[in-house]
Amino acid sequence: MRYHDITKDDMLNGDGLRVVLWVSGCSHCCKECQNPITWDPNGGLLFDEKAKEEIFAELARDYISGITFSGGDPLYSGNRSDVLKLAREIKERFPGKTIWMYTGFVWETIADLEIMKYVDILVDGEFQVEQKDTGLYWRGSSNQRVINVPVSRAEGKAVLHCE
């Protein structure tokens, strides 16, 4: 897996102060995407042990609420296995931290992926400039949903996270 950045003390990509991993690779290529530089799966830097330890050092801070996977798309085919392994390890080492994930895929097509066992909140759907709304929390267009993953998995349907 490759990535473009690790941001710290982020307040825009999920609830609370978060560390954000911006992965490389996206097949959606949304019109007017805010991060088109992340589309190339060969762009950015190789995600290695040093990058993982940087994330873990941030997650060890009491005031950090958790991690957000963004990009690019963490569920791009070339990222899925590595993101799954990282999410699993984060949940094992930091069970009190939340995992948020942004993806262009919709819940109904990814609900059964193993990674969803570790995700707390999913922001799903492609960004659609025609539905852009700067007044929304944690998403860019009104077609995107902020989904409570554990409740959705239990109920067998997408259940929105209260905003």
Side-chain angles (χ1 to χ4, degrees):
M1 174 174 69
R2 300 184 70 80
Y3 74 104
H4 277 269
D5 200 7
I6 297 169
T7 55
K8 301 164 184 147
D9 299 337
D10 183 288
M11 297 185 311
L12 300 175
N13 295 285
D15 197 23
L17 286 174
R18 312 189 67 73
V19 58
V20 181
L21 176 62
W22 303 90
V23 299
S24 300
C26 184
S27 58
H28 303 289
C29 304
C30 302
K31 181 180 175 185
E32 294 190 33
C33 171
Q34 69 174 5
N35 295 317
I37 194 170
T38 64
W39 293 353
D40 181 359
N42 298 311
L45 307 165
L46 180 64
F47 188 81
D48 57 12
E49 283 298 315
K50 183 178 175 187
K52 184 166 75 168
E53 289 305 319
E54 182 179 346
I55 287 172
F56 289 172
E58 289 302 307
L59 289 171
R61 299 178 189 277
D62 290 341
Y63 63 87
I64 296 297
S65 299
I67 186 168
T68 299
F69 291 97
S70 194
D73 193 329
L75 296 181
Y76 173 77
S77 61
N79 293 333
R80 288 185 182 192
S81 176
D82 290 328
V83 170
L84 169 62
K85 289 175 194 167
L86 182 58
R88 183 185 302 127
E89 189 170 354
I90 288 169
K91 277 297 185 185
E92 289 170 0
R93 287 185 64 170
F94 304 98
K97 306 290 182 169
T98 58
I99 295 179
W100 282 55
M101 180 178 289
Y102 284 80
T103 183
F105 296 97
V106 294
W107 170 255
E108 290 75 12
T109 64
I110 58 172
D112 293 332
L113 294 179
E114 184 179 356
I115 183 74
M116 291 304 136
K117 294 178 184 176
Y118 306 102
V119 175
D120 296 289
I121 304 292
L122 179 77
V123 181
D124 80 335
E126 294 181 3
F127 171 74
Q128 295 180 358
V129 70
E130 300 81 13
Q131 295 182 53
K132 182 178 179 178
D133 184 343
T134 58
L136 298 171
Y137 287 108
W138 304 311
R139 56 198 170 139
S141 56
S142 60
N143 65 295
Q144 295 172 309
R145 300 174 293 179
V146 182
I147 297 171
N148 182 317
V149 174
V151 173
S152 298
R153 286 173 48 83
E155 294 191 15
K157 64 178 183 177
V159 177
L160 299 183
H161 175 67
C162 33
E163 300 177 9

